[in-house]
Amino acid sequence: MPVPKITAALSDRRQLTEKFVQLFFELKEPHTFQFQAGQYASLGFPDNPLRRPYSIASTPVEEHGFELLIDTTPQGIGTKYLMNLPLGGEATFLAPMGLFMLAKDEQAKKEKALVFVATGSGIAPFRSMVTWLLQTQNDQREIWLYWGLRYEQDMFWEEDFQELTRAFPNFHFHVTLSKASEEWPLCKGHVTDCLSIHELPAEAGYYLCGSKPMIEETVALLATKGIPKESVHHEKFY
């Protein structure tokens, strides 16, 4: 089926850290749309055939708009366009797109726990998935979220995730910093270093989003732990 073209207006731009920005879009045409947690929107540009994919960071409950997370560091065509888009300015997307969604049917039955692994802005689809699973679906499975960043000042949304750990005992949140200060009390190094010192459930679904090296390292690590390939999922554009 063809992917719907949507027009949305930028309603807010929130600077989360020096490099990460959260964007809020209000749908104009159509006025509502449905997606599944984990999917993305493909941004188009005027007079340019290029497109750029951005994972949707909000949950499917929000049918009249959506949120995106961008890392401004690369300063590519997508970043420049979105950062220069004025409040109220309209952008066009193809959405929803992608197959990076929670497993269904028989595979879902095999995933008796869920482990999400992200680096940087790869946290976006997991914010959607985790929030939707816990707050909307009341999912009772054990859920882990591992997130790798460089510096302490790069962190954002951590208070939201910590609040979820307090509200839902089955949710566990771990941040790893590759360039942490000496005072940092939690995991240091790559996110795979943090994964390697925790017990990884065998009958679980593993969802990866972030840099290509992280995904390759994590896939290799999970293989050594005997995790079957069909239980490991990652977005195709990484």
Side-chain angles (χ1 to χ4, degrees):
M1 295 181 61
V3 178
K5 180 179 179 180
I6 64 175
T7 301
L10 180 66
S11 59
D12 195 13
R13 180 187 288 113
R14 188 173 300 169
Q15 191 81 36
L16 300 173
T17 68
E18 184 177 345
K19 61 187 291 189
F20 294 110
V21 176
Q22 185 175 359
L23 304 176
F24 298 78
F25 284 93
E26 178 184 350
L27 290 173
K28 293 299 183 181
E29 182 62 38
H31 295 295
T32 64
F33 86 127
Q34 296 181 339
F35 67 96
Q36 295 187 52
Q39 290 190 293
Y40 68 90
S42 177
L43 173 66
F45 307 98
D47 304 317
N48 192 322
L50 294 177
R51 309 197 66 85
R52 289 295 182 266
Y54 293 94
S55 294
I56 300 173
S58 47
T59 74
V61 174
E62 303 172 42
E63 295 183 346
H64 297 282
F66 58 93
E67 301 167 23
L68 303 179
L69 172 69
I70 62 172
D71 179 351
T72 61
T73 306
Q75 285 295 304
I77 182 175
T79 298
K80 292 179 180 179
Y81 178 81
L82 291 172
M83 291 303 292
N84 287 319
L85 187 67
L87 292 181
E90 296 184 354
T92 60
F93 300 86
L94 296 179
M97 297 187 71
L99 300 176
F100 187 56
M101 299 172 285
L102 294 162
K104 299 179 180 179
D105 305 324
E106 291 303 314
Q107 183 59 34
K109 295 178 182 178
K110 298 177 183 178
E111 299 183 358
K112 302 184 185 304
L114 297 169
V115 181
F116 300 106
V117 185
T119 51
S121 59
I123 195 69
F126 298 147
R127 179 174 181 262
S128 178
M129 287 182 177
V130 168
T131 305
W132 182 78
L133 284 167
L134 295 173
Q135 295 184 343
T136 304
Q137 299 301 302
N138 193 29
D139 199 297
Q140 297 299 306
R141 288 176 291 183
E142 294 294 314
I143 299 173
W144 286 267
L145 174 58
Y146 293 87
W147 187 17
L149 292 162
R150 290 185 179 180
Y151 302 98
E152 291 157 75
Q153 59 265 33
D154 290 336
M155 292 191 300
F156 56 94
W157 292 345
E158 72 275 9
E159 292 184 4
D160 295 338
F161 289 125
Q162 293 293 358
E163 180 60 33
L164 288 176
T165 66
R166 291 187 287 269
F168 300 93
N170 59 315
F171 177 58
H172 317 280
F173 176 51
H174 300 283
V175 177
T176 304
L177 299 181
S178 61
K179 297 184 181 297
S181 66
E182 293 183 3
E183 294 78 18
W184 177 251
L186 304 177
C187 288
K188 298 180 180 181
H190 291 174
V191 70
T192 45
D193 295 324
C194 191
L195 278 171
S196 65
I197 64 174
H198 287 87
E199 183 177 352
L200 301 180
E203 295 183 297
Y206 289 81
Y207 295 78
L208 321 177
C209 191
S211 67
K212 184 176 180 181
M214 180 279 281
I215 290 178
E216 292 175 346
E217 289 177 20
T218 305
V219 168
L221 173 65
L222 295 177
T224 67
K225 302 289 186 180
I227 305 299
K229 289 184 178 180
E230 60 268 22
S231 296
V232 182
H233 318 273
H234 58 85
E235 181 53 81
K236 67 179 182 180
F237 60 76
Y238 282 99

